[in-house]
Amino acid sequence: MIVSDLGDAPRIWMNVTTSSRWTRPAMGIVRVEQELVKELGRLYGDRFALCVLKDGALVPFYSDTQDESVETAYFWPDHSRRVPGGSAVEFSSGGKTIRAVSMDRAGSYGSANGNRTPPGERSIGLGDIVISIGLDWDTGVIDLFLEMKRRIGIRLITCCYDLIPILFPQWCVGEVAVRFEQYFTKLAWCSDLILCISQQSKKDYLALAERLGFPPVPTTVIPLGDNVGPDRAADKNSLQGISTDVAQTLNDAFILCVGTIERRKNHEILYRAYHLLARAGKLDDVPRLVFVGMHGWGVHDLLNDMALDPLMRDKIVQLHHVSDTELSLLYEKAAFIVYPSFYEGWGLPVGEALALGKVVVASDQGAIPEVGGNLVLYADPWNPRDWADTIHGLSVAPDRLERRRMKVIDEYHNRNWTDTALAARAAIDTMAGQSLARATTLYPGYDMNTGVGLACGGTVMSTGQAGPLIYGPYLGIRRGVYDIEILYDKLAGASGNCRASVVSNGGQTTYAALDRQFGVEADMSASLLMSGVIFDNDVLDYEVTLYIDETLMISVSRVDVRPVFQQRQKLLAPEREVQ
Amino acid sequence: MRILTLSTYPIETPTHGGQHRLSNIVRLLRAAGHDVKSAGVAGHADYNKSPLFLKYPGDAALEEFLERTALMEDWAISQLMVKSQARFRALAKLIDCSPHLILVEQPWLFNFARAYNAVHNGGRAQLFYSAQNIESALKYEIVRRSFGVHDAALDRDRVLDCERHAIRLADRVFGVSEGDLAWMAPYAKAPPILTANGVADGIASFEDIYSANALTGAKPFALFCASAHPPNIEGFFDIFGTGVGCFPPGAKLVVAGGAGEAIRNNPAFARTGGVADVLMDAGTVSDELLRGLIATAHMILLPITHGGGTNLKSAEAVWSGRHVVATSSAMRGFEQFANGRGIAITNDGPGFAREIRLAFAQPRLELTVEERDQRRVVLWENTLLGLIDEVASLGVTE
């Protein structure tokens, strides 16, 4: 058996914590996460694996075994229900004093708490790629990513859906702008790639980076799919399993609006448009308006207005808890679709409606024009008269509506989730091809510990005591051959001895050691070089130490860890068989 | 030579820039063999007591000269000290030293100095005016932000009269930058002399560094040293008011001096994403701790977007040998270092963010011996040489 079943190729993990906790039909972000899981699974096969956040660690999602510790039901495209396995990474010791964590036979890391990865299952390892595109601002996983990046060098791919909480906090719950600014700042510092679901979200993200000052992270746009999958496609001729409310709705002509009923989605302008039509005596000219979606925040007054307005006469209907099948039927049977949102990072319902050949009247804000192009009739989301005129115009001119419908059918090019995944794959493959054995510079005052010295910025200075001047950093290092160099300054007149070493496993495994004697020569800036240090396996907790005599006045400014070029690595450390 | 300095702050335990400047003037004059006394009127109730200083007169006393005294206390004191016979006599009594030279730091007590010289000193003393700023321009900016342009213009004109008066009537005039000298020159009897702000040389001890590490956790940090002087706070929010995302995870922005509390109490603080996590308010720090902080800092920030004169914190930053990210306003008077290794000049938030990220990504800066020598001109011993020489040239002996 070789060190890794997958050779040197990093495994690609997808964090599905959001889906694992979701208890309703998949919409929005949850739907994107689940569609990408399906597609990336097809593209990457065994290299692709799922993980979830559990007890402060990212753990593999590996079996179908029932486990009551999983908090919620788990809706998945294939209706399976999986549960977390062994802990992928153990960070319980924290700070700079992590204890050694044993590697399993697959070269990855089991936890020290006995909750080990089962045989044949590999946990998140050095340099693996982790994709996380869920509701990460709610799970607290970002801090864990920062730590995993530092400790084991994961490459992280995240997602920017939109910046609505920052750009339009007035349409969100509470003071969210500052919280999301912090979230996106951390995201930038831990991500290697940020997927943006539209050019608009990319533009917004880059503007935010400029404003907040966080580092510009590479971005890739992945336009979302709009194909309604086989599990969502409805049997148009059967009403089996369809609720009474939905069935009754289907009996008459109606206009459909899909999306959570919240202020940003701007259902209010549709109510106002209908109110204006009623006052003008035109209400009977237009079909009923059907809202499909949960009640969100800030719409209490709107719902009251709609319920109490004597002009409305039940002209606006709400449907909740609509299944995928019901939703597909509603899309199919609707006269046309309306989508007045003030802002969208993409606008999934617009694409889905167009893909089904439906006429769409939508707001022209955010990324919606990217989705609909010239096939959508646009209306001003601030102008109810505009909406009233457009809805009325389409309702009283069936020929015009039909011509628009045919134009949509002829000209709309469906986007599918496979293309979404392929756009992501291009970026993932580039990342996967990058070498994992990378040069690292450690600044002892920041990155390591001292026993007898004094940290002064990144430097550690001796103070006249004998003992460990520097030790650490207890990080992961990819198997290979490295030159490890300790750069120091020595004061004139001071003499003494020192011993440098490279160890792991709490000092039980030694990879290199070097003794040096210093005379009382003049000030000098020099280095201790341990060349050709061989790590014949991935190591989680490598440690560089420098012990000094009390007479040696020395300061260490940095430690360079450089991989030796590949050819030499092969000569010195051929891939080893594990017994 | 007997020398009297007059100011609106005592200098025994200097904290803000003006105190440091005057205390170094006094130190160097004494080192040159002169007998120097420092007197004046406390311009704020929080100043420590000092033997030759009148305590802060109180708002009620100052309101005789201005309806609104906020931000104009110094000017009101200038009026009070010549228009109130009791106050005049009280300070004159404290002084009682027959000086050969009266050096007035800032213009506020210049009229008092003239009157004292004439009434109590037989007009024997030379009068030197040492300017730290173009006070009228600075006053306009400060008042405008709190009380609007109308009040600001009125106050600017009041201060302008006061400082022009000092420049015109002083026997010698000193300024902190070439720009300030050029502004003052048309009003002065003789060409004004440059006495830029500087820094005292000092080496951090192990104890200083231990203290700093105890505060910062020995994590990478950027240091911003500033008082609660309004331009410092405005500059901070001008630069960082949109966010502090440029600080890597774990890195801190340590604020030493009164600015920290003023920043935290500013309404903009709560609106600035991430600043509560990044900012570490060290408060007013001792000289020892400040040395430790400078020695351990990864970089020093000078986000000063308003105010005239020169910032002695800029001299401190240049001399520190750390990375420096500064506005061009902050580097006024130190332009020769603008291209120095590790010094980045930028004037807006995105520019600061970029330079801070770059600096954190680099090793700490260590100056060469040659670079260190080039920067010696910022030490007080060198920046104040013009003043010390000018005093010596008076040729007064006991």
Side-chain angles (χ1 to χ4, degrees):
Chain A
M1 183 183 176
I2 57 174
V3 167
S4 166
D5 293 328
L6 302 169
D8 281 337
R11 179 162 282 194
I12 297 152
W13 295 86
M14 184 115 175
N15 172 21
V16 294
T17 304
T18 297
S19 286
S20 73
R21 295 175 181 178
W22 195 255
T23 56
R24 296 188 293 266
M27 295 179 76
I29 289 172
V30 183
R31 181 153 159 70
V32 176
E33 183 175 282
Q34 297 188 2
E35 294 289 354
L36 265 187
V37 164
K38 276 194 297 186
E39 298 297 337
L40 291 175
R42 283 183 196 137
L43 292 172
Y44 284 106
D46 288 347
R47 281 182 65 195
F48 186 71
L50 306 181
C51 57
V52 291
L53 184 66
K54 186 184 181 194
D55 299 332
L58 268 184
V59 299
F61 214 56
Y62 68 88
S63 81
D64 292 321
T65 311
Q66 292 290 323
D67 183 343
E68 295 308 315
S69 67
V70 178
E71 294 169 7
T72 63
Y74 172 55
F75 283 77
W76 206 246
D78 62 1
H79 303 293
S80 66
R81 184 175 185 277
R82 301 179 179 188
V83 297
S87 177
V89 183
E90 171 61 39
F91 291 135
S92 60
S93 47
K96 290 181 174 176
T97 56
I98 184 174
R99 58 203 161 98
V101 177
S102 61
M103 282 191 297
D104 65 18
R105 295 178 68 197
S108 53
Y109 313 100
S111 72
N113 62 7
N115 185 20
R116 290 182 59 81
T117 304
E121 289 288 342
R122 181 179 182 274
S123 302
I124 298 174
L126 280 177
D128 276 355
I129 293 170
V130 177
I131 304 168
S132 191
I133 61 170
L135 303 167
D136 291 347
W137 51 89
D138 276 343
T139 63
V141 75
I142 295 296
D143 289 327
L144 179 62
F145 286 149
L146 284 167
E147 187 67 356
M148 291 174 75
K149 192 168 188 64
R150 195 178 76 82
R151 288 269 176 84
I152 59 170
I154 61 164
R155 276 83 61 83
L156 183 66
I157 298 173
T158 55
C159 188
C160 172
Y161 289 94
D162 59 62
L163 299 180
I164 287 163
I166 295 168
L167 298 176
F168 307 106
Q170 69 272 29
W171 293 324
C172 303
V173 185
E175 295 277 339
V176 292
V178 166
R179 184 176 147 228
F180 272 83
E181 285 178 355
Q182 288 174 268
Y183 166 73
F184 277 105
T185 297
K186 284 183 178 176
L187 199 70
W189 282 103
C190 67
S191 298
D192 296 276
L193 174 72
I194 294 184
L195 306 174
C196 298
I197 61 168
S198 63
Q199 294 293 346
Q200 181 68 48
S201 66
K202 176 178 176 177
K203 184 178 154 199
D204 290 345
Y205 175 78
L206 294 177
L208 183 73
E210 176 79 358
R211 184 164 73 79
L212 297 186
F214 55 67
V217 178
T219 54
T220 291
V221 174
I222 51 160
L224 303 185
D226 46 36
N227 51 315
V228 179
D231 50 324
R232 288 188 69 188
D235 178 350
K236 296 172 196 169
N237 300 315
S238 170
L239 291 181
Q240 192 176 1
I242 303 299
S243 72
T244 308
D245 284 348
V246 172
Q248 284 176 350
T249 300
L250 295 171
N251 286 335
D252 299 311
F254 64 95
I255 298 168
L256 181 65
C257 180
V258 177
T260 306
I261 302 174
E262 62 178 72
R263 291 182 64 206
R264 177 175 59 85
K265 299 288 186 184
N266 199 19
H267 291 73
E268 183 166 354
I269 204 161
L270 296 175
Y271 157 65
R272 288 176 185 273
Y274 266 60
H275 183 91
L276 289 173
L277 289 170
R279 283 174 54 183
K282 297 177 178 176
L283 198 59
D284 290 338
D285 296 343
V286 297
R288 293 172 97 189
L289 177 59
V290 176
F291 292 166
V292 172
M294 301 180 294
H295 286 177
W297 170 82
V299 291
H300 179 75
D301 289 344
L302 169 65
L303 297 175
N304 261 348
D305 286 354
M306 291 194 304
L308 298 175
D309 188 339
L311 295 180
M312 283 298 94
R313 304 187 321 238
D314 295 330
K315 199 70 177 184
I316 301 177
V317 177
Q318 298 171 53
L319 295 176
H320 310 298
H321 307 295
V322 171
S323 70
D324 283 354
T325 304
E326 291 171 332
L327 182 60
S328 293
L329 270 173
L330 288 163
Y331 268 130
E332 288 287 342
K333 301 290 185 187
F336 56 92
I337 311 299
V338 286
Y339 199 67
S341 175
F342 284 118
Y343 199 87
E344 291 293 325
W346 178 246
L348 214 47
V350 174
E352 289 184 343
L354 291 170
L356 291 167
K358 306 307 292 186
V359 173
V360 177
V361 183
S363 149
D364 59 357
Q365 298 297 297
I368 294 172
E370 281 183 60
V371 184
N374 64 357
L375 297 176
V376 164
L377 287 167
Y378 294 106
D380 179 356
W382 294 96
N383 184 350
R385 181 78 61 190
D386 196 9
W387 286 85
D389 291 346
T390 305
I391 289 170
H392 186 261
L394 285 175
S395 300
V396 299
D399 292 351
R400 183 179 167 224
L401 182 62
E402 183 59 14
R403 281 198 302 278
R404 294 278 331 170
R405 196 175 74 83
M406 293 312 295
K407 183 177 169 69
V408 171
I409 290 170
D410 289 345
E411 297 181 18
Y412 186 70
H413 299 291
N414 288 16
R415 300 174 175 92
N416 59 57
W417 290 100
T418 304
D419 292 337
T420 309
L422 286 172
R425 186 171 87 161
I428 294 168
D429 287 350
T430 302
M431 192 178 288
Q434 292 164 354
S435 172
L436 293 173
R438 283 183 287 185
T440 308
T441 295
L442 303 168
Y443 298 105
Y446 299 146
D447 303 319
M448 301 172 76
N449 301 322
T450 181
V452 297
L454 174 62
C456 183
T459 299
V460 170
M461 308 182 295
S462 61
T463 58
Q465 297 177 69
L469 183 63
I470 60 169
Y471 61 99
Y474 309 109
L475 302 180
I477 191 166
R478 187 74 165 161
R479 69 188 168 86
V481 185
Y482 295 82
D483 287 344
I484 297 179
E485 188 171 19
I486 300 171
L487 286 81
Y488 63 83
D489 292 285
K490 190 194 81 70
L491 280 181
S495 63
N497 304 315
C498 72
R499 178 181 175 82
S501 61
V502 181
V503 301
S504 75
N505 197 18
Q508 293 179 44
T509 308
T510 300
Y511 300 90
L514 178 66
D515 293 307
R516 178 69 56 87
Q517 263 190 317
F518 293 94
V520 292
E521 60 274 281
D523 284 348
M524 59 185 294
S525 295
S527 68
L528 297 164
L529 175 64
M530 291 172 278
S531 62
V533 180
I534 301 171
F535 292 94
D536 53 10
N537 229 327
D538 289 353
V539 170
L540 183 61
D541 62 338
Y542 86 93
E543 179 183 7
V544 178
T545 65
L546 181 67
Y547 279 76
I548 59 168
D549 286 349
E550 70 268 23
T551 53
L552 186 58
M553 298 307 289
I554 193 173
S555 61
V556 180
S557 56
R558 55 194 272 195
V559 177
D560 288 335
V561 181
R562 296 184 298 269
V564 177
F565 66 92
Q566 245 177 353
Q567 191 64 30
R568 194 173 159 203
Q569 283 202 32
K570 281 185 181 170
L571 288 172
L572 290 168
E575 196 161 56
R576 298 183 62 181
E577 296 262 329
V578 175
Q579 300 303 310
Chain B
M1 187 187 308
R2 286 191 300 278
I3 301 174
L4 171 70
T5 70
L6 290 172
S7 60
T8 52
Y9 36 75
I11 56 171
E12 284 85 353
T13 51
T15 55
H16 65 65
Q19 289 173 303
H20 279 287
R21 176 181 169 83
L22 184 55
S23 76
N24 277 284
I25 289 173
V26 169
R27 175 175 66 84
L28 290 170
L29 287 171
R30 284 175 180 157
H34 303 295
D35 175 12
V36 187
K37 286 193 164 73
S38 183
V41 182
H44 195 282
D46 289 346
Y47 284 130
N48 292 336
K49 283 184 180 174
S50 181
L52 302 187
F53 271 73
L54 296 184
K55 67 178 184 181
Y56 178 62
D59 295 342
L62 300 182
E63 280 163 7
E64 288 183 31
F65 306 98
L66 272 178
E67 197 171 316
R68 171 187 53 77
T69 58
L71 302 180
M72 282 291 280
E73 296 90 344
D74 40 21
W75 181 86
I77 286 173
S78 77
Q79 303 300 302
L80 177 71
M81 292 309 295
V82 289
K83 291 180 178 169
S84 160
Q85 286 299 312
R87 305 270 178 182
F88 178 84
R89 281 196 298 270
L91 182 56
K93 189 178 174 187
L94 283 178
I95 294 168
D96 193 27
C97 69
S98 306
H100 301 104
L101 167 65
I102 302 175
L103 186 146
V104 186
E105 188 72 7
Q106 296 184 281
W108 318 123
L109 295 178
F110 191 84
N111 270 342
F112 170 84
R114 284 191 72 222
Y116 171 81
N117 194 33
V119 174
H120 293 279
N121 201 35
R124 106 169 64 167
Q126 293 270 305
L127 297 181
F128 282 12
Y129 168 50
S130 169
Q132 297 176 357
N133 279 293
I134 308 302
E135 297 288 354
S136 51
L138 178 62
K139 189 66 76 179
Y140 180 85
E141 280 302 312
I142 293 173
V143 174
R144 180 179 63 82
R145 285 168 181 270
S146 296
F147 299 108
V149 292
H150 178 262
D151 279 22
L154 287 175
D155 289 347
R156 176 194 58 205
D157 293 346
R158 289 178 176 119
V159 172
L160 187 58
D161 282 348
C162 179
E163 73 178 335
R164 273 188 191 159
H165 192 67
I167 297 165
R168 283 197 180 105
L169 297 176
D171 295 302
R172 299 284 191 284
V173 175
F174 301 86
V176 294
S177 72
E178 295 292 351
D180 286 9
L181 298 189
W183 185 86
M184 292 190 291
Y187 311 110
K189 289 179 185 173
I193 296 164
L194 182 66
T195 49
N197 281 322
V199 59
D201 194 9
I203 296 172
S205 67
F206 280 176
E207 285 69 29
D208 299 342
I209 294 170
Y210 276 121
S211 302
N213 286 348
L215 181 75
T216 65
K219 300 287 185 197
F221 70 94
L223 181 63
F224 174 37
C225 301
S227 68
H229 192 43
N232 295 336
I233 313 310
E234 288 156 14
F236 180 88
F237 285 108
D238 284 346
I239 296 297
F240 294 112
T242 57
V244 289
C246 54
F247 284 80
K252 295 291 180 189
L253 196 176
V254 175
V255 181
E261 186 179 357
I263 288 167
R264 286 191 292 106
N265 290 334
N266 192 295
F269 185 75
R271 296 194 299 267
T272 304
V275 72
D277 288 341
V278 166
L279 189 139
M280 182 181 283
D281 177 14
T284 301
V285 299
S286 65
D287 285 349
E288 293 76 17
L289 179 54
L290 182 61
R291 279 200 300 266
L293 288 171
I294 291 171
T296 56
H298 194 85
M299 78 185 81
I300 294 178
L301 304 179
L302 299 166
I304 306 300
T305 55
H306 303 282
T310 61
N311 182 358
L312 54 77
K313 293 299 173 191
S314 306
E316 196 170 79
V318 167
W319 183 242
S320 74
R322 305 276 84 86
H323 293 283
V324 176
V325 184
T327 59
S328 48
S329 295
M331 291 300 284
R332 190 186 298 117
F334 303 97
E335 287 84 357
Q336 71 265 41
F337 301 108
N339 295 318
R341 191 164 66 95
I343 296 178
I345 310 296
T346 179
N347 290 318
D348 57 21
F352 257 74
R354 193 168 47 249
E355 297 298 341
I356 289 170
R357 286 199 311 266
L358 276 174
F360 271 125
Q362 293 170 19
R364 258 172 34 116
L365 193 63
E366 297 295 341
L367 295 182
T368 64
V369 173
E370 292 74 25
E371 287 170 327
R372 178 65 71 190
D373 284 344
Q374 285 167 7
R375 297 188 182 192
R376 280 188 187 283
V377 293
V378 303
L379 295 176
W380 286 115
E381 283 75 1
N382 296 315
T383 62
L384 296 179
L385 210 51
L387 172 64
I388 306 303
D389 287 350
E390 200 60 29
V391 172
S393 74
L394 295 178
V396 177
T397 54
E398 286 300 320

